[in-house]
């Protein structure tokens, strides 16, 4: 009975095991996993991995020192399974000047391991990944004898992995196919301004025979704190080809604020020949100038705000002669607030020093004021308002020599009187503008003032800052805008006038004045002048005007009549009017609010004569005297008060009859 039970029980156990094969597999898997895990733990422990990486690093190159903080084997990437060797805080350093004595720092280096490739007999590591990489070049690149360097390295251990095979028989089994870096920074200790930052840097080997390597990345074009981070990510593509000749081709393109740019370069390694094609469309000139000024390629005086540039350029030159080789610029256009300038072609023979053939520029509505801002030479004189716009053609020989011929419109001359201000607008001027060294020269051949007339010739010379100005005028006829006439005559008018004169302004202030002014007629606050002539001079900081007036009529009810009735004889007034003939005198104008007159006298009738001397200061206070002669009768008054309320005190001691 017991025998039958044991037989039945054994049969039952076999049946149970046969019916539940999953349990066997699970149990076997657990045992195998435990065994493999224990083995992997012992074989791939951090200490063992560290030792293996340290040994491999020692084989890279005799001139390269490698240090790292830790190395470990990882079996996952987050929640996903992934085998990789992770090396942290890597530092590679070399004093070899052939490589510019570089220092390479990597925060975390990952070497993904492909089990499938290893089982197939290939290399388990085909890609290298890194987070942040910094490459610092401590020296300039030095040309070294490559063959000599290779001989020195013949007896050294080969590196663990390379980007190029050392032996064809290996069939590239130890070669890395790709490198991926999230952020790569490249800088130079000797030239800190040449700093580049590449994002999502990827290098791939497309072919080993012939060798073809492609690199892609995103970056900022010469990112700089002075320029500001106005650029969208630019795109970089580089390809190295070994056949038919070793060349590097690159394409750099992207958006720069509201503009677009494209730079295509081709470099032939054996010949060290560089060819570059650029295409700029609507790029802010201020941004380009900032970068060029930083590298010493443009004057720091230039200021390109609110100006955009479009252009194409081409350069073919040996790499070591780029700065001294010719550059061809085509279809260049500057536009913006200052107007529009267009150039079909510019031939630059050298960038350092800057030399170029004469440039012909077609100019359309060029704002002279904004042009001076671009040149960082703003107008600084109260005599001129808006400087107007220019349309024509310019020839630029250098930044010290240029010539413009065409039509200028909108120039404003400022007139002021008693705190009031009016401008005389010049609608059109035809002439030439030259820049020679630091001097502007303007030759005005035809002038059309707004609401006026001008017949004559004007020449003006000014420094770049318009602080020193010389004006020569030969004007036969000129009539000013009625609004200007009204301001300068306190409600009156000025008839036809002519002018010959020379004016010099130094540092914004008058330094020389000489001329002759003729006015047919002029009405000033009820005073009517006929046939006035005045010679003008500058002496000891004063404008001296020697005036001659054929006749002066004082109209009844005018401010002048109220004043003159206090110092004239009643018999001199005829029908309420006072007429003075053959007036002569000298005026001295010091500053804009100080005026004095000397020996001013006029004839009244046959026997009358009026003489006066006096002045008013910048506060308007009056001082002076008036002498009235009628035959043998003489009367004298002292002048007091101010311009608005003059007062006359008669000197009884000087009143006499002869």
């Amino acid at each position: 009975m017991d025998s039958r039970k044991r037989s039945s029980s054994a049969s039952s156990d076999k049946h149970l095991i046969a019916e539940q094969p999953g349990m066997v597999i699970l149990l076997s898997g657990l045992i195998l996993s435990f065994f493999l895990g224990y083995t992997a733990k012992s074989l791939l422990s951090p200490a063992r991995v560290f030792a293996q990486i340290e040994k491999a690093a020692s084989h890279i190159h005799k001139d390269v020192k490698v240090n790292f903080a830790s190395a470990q084997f990882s079996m996952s990437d987050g929640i996903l399974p992934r085998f990789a060797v992770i090396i942290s805080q890597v530092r590679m350093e070399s004093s070899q000047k052939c490589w510019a004595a570089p220092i390479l720092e990597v925060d975390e280096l990952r070497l993904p391991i492909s089990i499938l490739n290893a089982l197939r007999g290939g290399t388990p590591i085909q890609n290298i990944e890194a987070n942040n990489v910094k490459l610092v070049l401590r020296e300039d690149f030095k040309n070294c004898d490559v063959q000599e360097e290779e001989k020195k390295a013949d007896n050294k251990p080969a590196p663990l992995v390379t980007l190029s095979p050392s032996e064809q028989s290996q069939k590239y089994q130890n070669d890395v196919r790709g490198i991926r870096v999230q952020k790569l920074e490249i800088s130079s200790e000797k030239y800190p301004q040449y700093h580049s930052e590449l994002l999502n840097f990827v290098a791939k080997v497309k072919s080993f025979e012939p060798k073809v390597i492609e690199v892609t990345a995103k970056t900022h074009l010469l990112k700089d704190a002075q320029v500001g981070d106005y650029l969208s990510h630019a795109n970089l593509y580089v390809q190295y080809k070994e056949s038919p000749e070793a060349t590097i081709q690159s394409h750099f393109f992207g958006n720069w604020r509201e503009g677009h740019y494209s730079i295509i370069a081709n470099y032939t390694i054996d010949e060290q020949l560089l060819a570059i094609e650029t295409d700029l469309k609507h790029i802010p000139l201020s941004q380009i100038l900032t970068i060029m000024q930083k590298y010493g390629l443009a004057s720091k005086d230039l200021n390109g705000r609110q100006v955009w540039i479009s252009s194409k350029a081409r350069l073919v030159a040996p790499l070591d002669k780029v700065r001294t080789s010719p550059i061809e610029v085509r279809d260049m256009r500057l536009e913006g607030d200052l107007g529009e300038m267009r150039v079909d072609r510019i031939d630059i023979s050298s960038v350092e020093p800057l030399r170029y053939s004469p440039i012909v520029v077609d100019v359309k509505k060029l704002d002279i004021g904004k042009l001076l801002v671009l040149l960082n030479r703003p107008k600084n004189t109260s005599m001129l308002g808006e400087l107007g716009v220019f349309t024509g053609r310019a020839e630029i020989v250098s930044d010290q020599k240029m010539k413009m011929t065409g039509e200028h419109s909108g120039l404003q001359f400022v007139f002021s009187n008693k705190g009031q201000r009016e401008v005389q607008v010049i609608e059109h001027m035809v002439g030439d503008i030259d820049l020679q060294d630091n001097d502007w020269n303007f030759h005005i051949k035809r002038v059309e003032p707004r609401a006026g007339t001008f017949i004559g010739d004007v020449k003006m010379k000014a420094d770049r800052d318009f602080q020193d100005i010389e004006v020569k005028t030969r004007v036969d006829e000129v009539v000013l805008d009625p609004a200007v006439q009204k301001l300068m005559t306190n409600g009156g008018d000025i008839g036809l006038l002519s002018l010959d004169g020379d004016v010099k302004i130094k540092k914004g202030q008058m330094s020389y004045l000489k001329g002759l002014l003729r006015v047919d007629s002029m009405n000033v606050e009820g005073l009517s002048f006929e046939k006035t002539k005045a010679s003008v001079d500058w002496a000891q900081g004063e404008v001296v005007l020697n005036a001659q007036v054929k006749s002066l009529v004082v109209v009844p009810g005018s401010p002048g009549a109220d004043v003159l009735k206090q110092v004239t004889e009643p018999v001199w007034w005829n029908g309420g009017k006072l007429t003075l003939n053959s007036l002569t005198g000298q005026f001295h104008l010091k500053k804009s609010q100080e005026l004095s007159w000397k020996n001013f006298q006029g004839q009244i009738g046959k026997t009358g004569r009026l003489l006066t001397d006096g002045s008013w200061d910048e506060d308007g206070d009056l001082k002076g005297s008036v002498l009235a002669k009628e035959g043998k009768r003489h009367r004298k008054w002292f002048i007091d008060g101010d311009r608005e309320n003059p007062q006359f005190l008669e000197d009884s001691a000087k009143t006499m009859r002869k």
Side-chain angles (χ1 to χ4, degrees):
M1 183 69 179
D2 292 338
S3 175
R4 287 195 299 268
K5 287 182 179 180
R6 286 194 296 269
S7 175
S8 174
S9 176
S11 175
S12 175
D13 290 341
K14 291 179 181 179
H15 180 72
L16 180 62
I17 293 174
E19 289 182 350
Q20 298 183 358
M23 293 182 61
V24 177
I25 296 174
L26 177 61
L27 183 60
S28 301
L30 289 173
I31 296 172
L32 181 61
S33 297
F34 176 79
F35 175 78
L36 291 177
Y38 182 82
T39 304
K41 183 177 181 181
S42 61
L43 293 177
L44 302 176
S45 65
R48 188 178 292 274
V49 172
F50 188 95
Q52 291 295 326
I53 297 299
E54 190 174 44
K55 180 180 179 181
S58 66
H59 292 171
I60 290 179
H61 197 280
K62 68 181 184 64
D63 293 331
V64 179
K65 297 178 182 179
V66 181
N67 295 300
F68 56 94
S70 64
Q72 61 182 350
F73 187 81
S74 173
M75 295 186 181
S76 66
D77 183 10
I79 63 174
L80 300 176
R82 188 191 191 198
F83 298 102
V85 175
I86 299 178
I87 312 170
S88 62
Q89 303 300 316
V90 180
R91 177 184 173 92
M92 303 176 68
E93 180 178 353
S94 174
S95 59
Q96 178 60 263
K97 292 186 178 181
C98 301
W99 309 330
I103 294 178
L104 182 72
E105 295 180 340
V106 186
D107 63 343
E108 183 178 279
L109 190 66
R110 295 183 298 278
L111 306 178
I113 297 176
S114 174
I115 302 298
L116 184 60
N117 284 340
L119 294 175
R120 290 175 177 175
T123 177
I125 299 175
Q126 290 189 324
N127 296 285
I128 298 176
E129 300 176 358
N131 290 335
N132 297 320
V133 178
K134 292 183 179 180
L135 175 61
V136 180
L137 306 177
R138 294 173 293 173
E139 300 286 345
D140 291 328
F141 282 99
K142 179 183 177 182
N143 290 329
C144 299
D145 190 332
V146 178
Q147 294 181 351
E148 185 66 25
E149 292 297 318
E150 290 177 350
K151 288 180 181 179
K152 293 180 181 179
D154 280 345
N155 298 323
K156 301 299 178 181
L160 181 66
V161 292
T162 66
L163 275 174
S164 59
S166 57
E167 295 183 12
Q168 296 295 328
S169 61
Q170 297 296 317
K171 296 298 181 182
Y172 321 114
Q173 65 178 6
N174 292 325
D175 291 296
V176 173
R177 265 70 173 172
I179 299 175
R180 183 182 297 274
V181 179
Q182 291 184 8
K183 182 179 179 181
L184 172 60
E185 297 181 66
I186 304 173
S187 61
S188 170
E189 287 188 353
K190 297 185 69 175
Y191 309 100
Q193 68 272 27
Y194 296 102
H195 178 271
S196 298
E197 180 182 284
L198 302 176
L199 306 175
N200 299 329
F201 175 90
V202 177
K204 294 182 180 180
V205 178
K206 306 294 288 186
S207 171
F208 282 105
E209 291 184 348
K211 191 182 303 178
V212 178
I213 302 174
E214 289 184 352
V215 175
T216 59
K218 293 183 179 294
T219 184
H220 292 283
L221 176 60
L222 298 172
K223 183 180 179 181
D224 192 303
Q226 294 179 355
V227 175
D229 190 10
Y230 295 118
L231 316 183
S232 61
H233 281 120
N235 299 284
L236 173 66
Y237 171 81
V238 180
Q239 183 188 73
Y240 168 78
K241 295 175 64 175
E242 195 174 44
S243 178
E245 57 182 347
T247 59
I248 298 176
Q249 296 177 336
S250 64
H251 187 195
F252 193 87
F253 60 97
N255 296 322
W256 196 342
R257 294 183 69 176
E258 57 270 36
H260 175 80
Y261 60 90
S262 172
I263 303 173
I264 300 175
N266 185 79
Y267 178 60
T268 305
I269 296 177
D270 293 340
E271 298 178 359
Q272 294 189 341
L273 186 65
L274 177 66
I276 300 178
E277 292 270 357
T278 66
D279 188 1
L280 308 179
K281 294 181 180 178
H282 209 63
I283 301 296
L285 181 61
S286 59
Q287 306 298 302
I288 295 178
L289 287 178
T290 301
I291 293 175
M292 294 180 67
Q293 288 163 355
K294 179 178 178 180
Y295 301 140
L297 301 178
S299 170
K300 293 187 179 297
D301 291 336
L302 299 176
N303 183 344
R305 290 194 300 268
Q306 300 301 310
V307 181
W308 290 264
I309 183 172
S310 299
S311 179
K312 297 178 181 179
R314 185 172 184 269
L315 164 71
V316 178
L319 185 62
D320 59 345
K321 297 181 180 179
V322 168
R323 288 175 172 262
T324 58
S325 297
I327 302 174
E328 178 188 314
V329 181
R330 309 182 307 279
D331 301 329
M332 182 176 180
R333 185 171 69 254
L334 269 69
E335 55 190 341
D337 289 354
L338 88 167
E340 182 179 338
M341 291 185 285
R342 190 181 189 94
V343 182
D344 290 335
R345 182 185 175 107
I346 301 175
D347 291 317
I348 301 174
S349 57
S350 171
V351 173
E352 192 178 82
L354 182 61
R355 296 192 182 96
Y356 49 84
S357 301
I359 304 170
V360 178
V361 185
D362 290 320
V363 182
K364 184 177 181 181
K365 295 184 178 180
L366 176 63
D367 190 306
I368 300 300
K370 290 184 171 60
L371 175 62
L372 295 181
V373 172
L374 172 64
L375 300 173
N376 216 11
R377 299 289 198 280
K379 170 187 67 68
N380 189 17
T381 175
S382 59
M383 294 181 61
L384 297 175
E386 297 293 332
L387 298 180
V389 298
F390 176 84
T391 297
R393 173 164 288 196
E395 181 179 358
I396 302 173
V397 178
S398 69
D399 62 345
Q400 300 290 317
K401 185 177 181 180
M402 63 182 71
K403 180 178 180 179
M404 292 187 287
T405 302
E407 183 177 285
H408 193 135
S409 60
L411 178 63
Q412 296 180 349
F413 289 92
V414 178
F415 293 84
S416 60
N417 186 25
K418 295 182 180 180
Q420 302 283 330
R421 184 177 180 273
E422 286 287 351
V423 295
Q424 175 64 67
V425 179
I426 306 301
E427 297 281 12
H428 300 285
M429 287 193 303
V430 176
D432 302 329
I433 303 175
D434 293 318
L435 175 64
Q436 184 72 37
D437 296 328
N438 287 317
D439 295 324
W440 291 97
N441 293 280
F442 299 81
H443 183 197
I444 311 303
K445 302 175 181 178
R446 179 169 62 85
V447 179
E448 298 178 9
R450 179 178 296 174
T453 304
F454 186 97
I455 300 175
D457 185 79
V458 178
K459 294 181 180 179
M460 184 173 75
K461 182 177 181 180
D463 68 342
R464 282 179 176 261
D465 301 326
F466 279 79
Q467 286 286 294
D468 299 337
I469 303 174
E470 296 182 16
V471 181
K472 294 181 180 293
T473 60
R474 301 294 180 266
V475 182
D476 297 325
E477 294 183 15
V478 61
V479 177
L480 299 176
D481 188 318
V484 175
Q485 297 182 41
K486 186 176 181 180
L487 173 71
M488 299 307 294
T489 59
N490 289 326
D493 60 76
I494 303 173
L496 186 67
L497 61 86
S498 61
L499 173 66
D500 292 337
D502 296 336
V503 180
K504 293 182 181 179
I505 297 173
K506 293 291 184 182
K507 296 182 179 179
Q509 301 295 326
M510 183 81 71
S511 66
Y512 178 84
L513 175 64
K514 192 172 185 65
L516 180 63
L517 174 69
R518 297 182 180 87
V519 184
D520 283 349
S521 63
M522 181 169 57
N523 296 312
V524 183
E525 293 186 336
L527 303 178
S528 297
F529 297 84
E530 294 292 333
K531 301 297 182 183
T532 301
K533 181 172 69 174
S535 62
V536 185
D537 290 283
W538 178 261
Q540 298 179 348
E542 295 181 335
V543 176
V544 180
L545 189 148
N546 292 285
Q548 299 178 24
V549 183
K550 181 179 180 181
S551 66
L552 169 63
V553 178
V554 182
V555 179
S558 66
D562 295 338
V563 172
L564 289 174
K565 279 185 177 181
Q566 302 178 55
V567 293
T568 55
E569 297 292 337
V571 297
W572 291 352
W573 295 81
N574 185 9
K577 294 182 178 181
L578 176 66
T579 302
L580 292 89
N581 297 306
S582 302
L583 276 78
T584 60
Q586 189 176 85
F587 293 91
H588 292 253
L589 179 63
K590 189 175 183 179
K591 300 181 180 179
S592 59
Q593 301 296 326
E594 296 183 18
L595 176 70
S596 64
W597 59 94
K598 298 179 180 180
N599 301 321
F600 197 87
Q601 54 186 307
Q603 187 72 33
I604 304 174
K606 294 182 179 180
T607 58
R609 195 165 188 82
L610 189 68
L611 302 94
T612 179
D613 293 275
S615 66
W616 67 62
D617 60 18
E618 59 184 5
D619 296 324
D621 295 332
L622 287 168
K623 296 294 180 183
S625 63
V626 178
L627 181 61
K629 296 180 180 181
E630 175 56 39
K632 295 181 178 182
R633 177 183 169 86
H634 293 185
R635 298 178 66 186
K636 185 175 182 179
W637 291 265
F638 294 106
I639 305 174
D640 204 352
D642 55 45
R643 287 181 300 178
E644 302 301 325
N645 296 292
Q647 298 177 12
F648 300 94
L649 179 62
E650 187 171 0
D651 185 358
S652 58
K654 295 294 183 180
T655 301
M656 63 190 77
R657 291 180 180 272
K658 291 186 179 180

